[in-house]
Amino acid sequence: MRNILVNRMLSLIGGLFRDLVVATIAFLVVGIGFLFWMTSAPGTSYHGHIPAVASGNSESEPLLRKHVYKLAGEMGARSQWADGDLREPEGYILEELRAMWLLPELEEFEYKGELFANVIAEITGNTGEILVLGAHYDSVEMAPGADDNASGVAILLELARQLTDTTPNRTLRFVFFANEEPPFFMSEGMGSYINAKNSYQRGDQIIGMISLESLGYFSNERDTQRYPPVLDLFYPDTGNFVAFVGNLSSNSFLNRVISNFRSHARIPSESLVAPQVFPFVNLSDQWSFWLYDYDAIMVTDTAPFRNPNYHRESDTPETLNYDAMAEITSSLLSTIDDLAYN
């Protein structure tokens, strides 16, 4: 009898062990498959070093440089907690947009007794649908914020300039957000939160939102790119690519954007689609639009995972690659053409 019980116990333990092994293998297979899906993108990325500015981008490069040097070089830290406030960069953006014969407006809001404003300009389309292009113009306290995020603001201004005299099918809404940085980050004090909330309450038909976040720091050297754990198995270690980041529900929108970008860009590109509970996909203003169920993605140089100057006094204009920024601008123009003009 004892032998029978022992054999049954061994058989039971063996069965449980086999089930555990099978379940573990299945979990690993599904997990690895999900990671491959998260990190894959349609189209073929450009490979190789970032080339010098192309002739078609030669006009953009000095203008991008001008905007960054004005915002991060002359103005320096753009924070409510630094000396002064956000009125100076706000005024510069308004001035530049008016010079393009656009009619910018301020979306003012109050948060904890302080008054802030987003700067908004639109190129009206033929339908009620809207494509939002956004970048935050503030920086962390004491940091000039050349990469984070004068680079995004500069590209957004240049996109607006080149599209000013066009007539899109879908309205192009250019939004320069206040208060992306701490202590407002991921709070109701973010300018993008206010803008997304107001858009939702008006019933705006936003087909997608693209957040331009830190787009100026690139390197063609190996071991210049870092990642959260595990993701380093799926991406290159050279920090010369543009990253397209979205949540799960924005997957189709992201794929359309990066597919078109890759068909024109002479700069490498990668993508990541992940649940928005992952902290590293929430790092900019697209987060606010996810709260209101809009498709939204971030386009970025990956900021803290690459740039050693991130949120430091050393984030200065001379550290940026303006050839790369000009190439990004040119390729995004083609992407916008696909999204808003076809």
Side-chain angles (χ1 to χ4, degrees), residues 20-30:
L20 180 61
V21 170
V22 170
T24 301
I25 293 173
F27 177 79
L28 289 173
V29 169
V30 171

Side-chain angles (χ1 to χ4, degrees), residues 109-132:
F109 61 97
E110 186 176 317
Y111 185 70
K112 293 187 176 181
E114 300 272 1
L115 186 64
F116 304 97
N118 299 320
V119 182
I120 305 175
E122 291 188 349
I123 301 175
T124 304
N126 297 320
T127 70
E129 295 180 322
I130 301 167
L131 174 65
V132 177

Side-chain angles (χ1 to χ4, degrees), residues 75 191 215:
M75 297 181 192
L215 280 166

Side-chain angles (χ1 to χ4, degrees), residues 225-292:
Q225 183 68 46
R226 301 176 302 279
Y227 301 96
V230 180
L231 289 182
D232 58 332
L233 300 174
F234 297 87
Y235 294 110
D237 63 359
T238 301
N240 66 349
F241 62 85
V242 182
F244 293 74
V245 181
N247 64 351
L248 296 180
S249 62
S250 301
N251 179 51
S252 294
F253 180 65
L254 184 149
N255 282 342
R256 181 174 178 180
V257 171
I258 194 172
S259 177
N260 189 278
F261 183 90
R262 285 181 164 183
S263 67
H264 297 90
R266 296 197 308 156
I267 186 170
S269 56
E270 302 290 343
S271 74
L272 173 66
V273 174
Q276 63 194 60
V277 294
F278 286 24
F280 48 84
V281 302
N282 294 324
L283 294 180
S284 193
D285 295 298
Q286 76 281 357
W287 171 82
S288 300
F289 287 78
W290 292 344
L291 296 180
Y292 290 95

